[in-house]
Amino acid sequence: MKHNNSTTVLIVPGLRDHVAEHWQTHLQARLPNARSVPPLTEDKLDLDARVAAIQHELAQIDGPVILVAHSAGTLMVAHWAARHDRPIKGALLVTPPDLDGQWPEHYPSPASLAERGWSPLPQQPLPFPTLVAASDNDPLATPEAVQRMADTWGASLVELGRVGHMNPASGFGDWPEADNLIQMLDR
């Protein structure tokens, strides 16, 4: 990928944080100017702590930033943007989960997230160009729910096809197409 070296890619993982075979981990290793929001050491479901961790990383970055978030990380970005006004060049939000949906048992429940401040999701457009990458068969959100989030956020929807939750459990590790989507934002 022809990446603008003056732009930092800040990776915002979901609730599982750093997974060795995850596409975000591969992306960080591949891009020269990428860094990741570090995992929380205590209550991993605490939204305020997650938003503060994003802000802490951004405070250490000079110059333009593109946010690359997956799963609950996409919701963290929406909450961060509602609270902070730092300029962002763009955001790639991949497979956002539906806080009004029914999730498989091995995920935290939307109700447990609501107790920690995740609901309601901010309902205003994001103040930067945004791509929302959606899966046709994501167990955490229907295509209709993802379309509603993209519309609320003023984002363009990128349909990925049948990719599950776009994680190792769905059969996805490295995802080179992410580079092209980031490049679309890095103009």
Side-chain angles (χ1 to χ4, degrees):
M1 171 177 107
K2 186 172 189 237
H3 177 65
N4 180 345
N5 284 330
S6 69
T7 301
T8 299
V9 172
L10 181 61
I11 295 170
V12 183
L15 294 177
R16 299 214 192 291
D17 290 306
H18 302 273
V19 177
E21 291 305 312
H22 198 283
W23 64 266
Q24 287 181 310
T25 306
H26 289 281
L27 182 70
Q28 183 175 355
R30 188 168 60 245
L31 295 182
N33 208 12
R35 59 194 299 169
S36 185
V37 176
L40 295 182
T41 56
E42 295 183 14
D43 184 1
K44 292 180 176 270
L45 299 185
D46 184 321
L47 175 71
D48 289 341
R50 293 283 186 161
V51 170
I54 293 171
Q55 181 61 20
H56 177 78
E57 285 304 303
L58 285 169
Q60 299 177 53
I61 300 171
D62 291 325
V65 174
I66 292 176
L67 301 172
V68 177
H70 176 252
S71 189
T74 66
L75 309 180
M76 295 172 212
V77 167
H79 281 283
W80 173 85
R83 300 176 189 186
H84 299 279
D85 62 2
R86 182 196 202 280
I88 297 294
K89 195 167 190 179
L92 172 59
L93 307 180
V94 180
T95 60
D98 179 9
L99 288 171
D100 295 321
Q102 294 295 316
W103 297 355
E105 283 185 19
H106 57 281
Y107 288 94
S109 70
S112 68
L113 292 178
E115 291 169 6
R116 290 170 176 89
W118 295 72
S119 296
L121 196 60
Q123 296 295 304
Q124 65 257 17
L126 295 174
F128 37 78
T130 304
L131 299 175
V132 171
S135 169
D136 291 346
N137 63 339
D138 188 342
L140 300 184
T142 64
E144 296 78 16
V146 176
Q147 180 69 63
R148 282 193 302 275
M149 285 183 269
D151 290 346
T152 297
W153 294 332
S156 298
L157 190 68
V158 177
E159 296 181 13
L160 302 176
R162 299 181 64 78
V163 297
H165 195 53
M166 197 60 211
N167 58 2
S170 301
F172 289 87
D174 198 10
W175 182 42
E177 293 83 9
D179 297 16
N180 297 328
L181 298 173
I182 293 167
Q183 192 171 4
M184 289 172 62
L185 295 164
D186 195 17
R187 298 183 188 278

